[in-house]
Amino acid sequence: MHFIKHLFSLLGEVFQFAWKNKVWWIVPVVLVFLGIGLLIVVGETAAPFIYTLF
C-alpha cells in the first residue's frame, strides 16, 4: 500500500511538470510505460494458473 501511495505521488508530479512546462509529449510516454508495466505484472501473476491448465 505504501508503494501505491508513492506511485501516485510520482505520477502527480510528472503531470504537474507536464502542465507547468507545456511538455505534453511526456504524458503519452508515461501512459505507455504504465501500460507495459501493467501487462508485465498481470502476465506474471496469471502464468502459474495457465500452466496448471495444461
Side-chain angles (χ1 to χ4, degrees):
M1 195 58 137
H2 196 63
F3 172 75
I4 294 173
K5 179 181 165 185
H6 286 293
L7 180 64
F8 283 126
S9 174
L10 177 66
L11 289 176
E13 289 183 20
V14 168
F15 286 117
Q16 285 178 358
F17 172 78
W19 185 269
K20 184 177 180 181
N21 295 317
K22 307 290 190 235
V23 285
W24 301 113
W25 58 268
I26 204 167
V27 174
V29 172
V30 170
L31 292 176
V32 167
F33 283 145
L34 285 174
I36 291 171
L38 183 66
L39 284 175
I40 290 172
V41 169
V42 169
E44 287 179 356
T45 58
F49 301 115
I50 293 172
Y51 293 143
T52 59
L53 293 175
F54 296 105

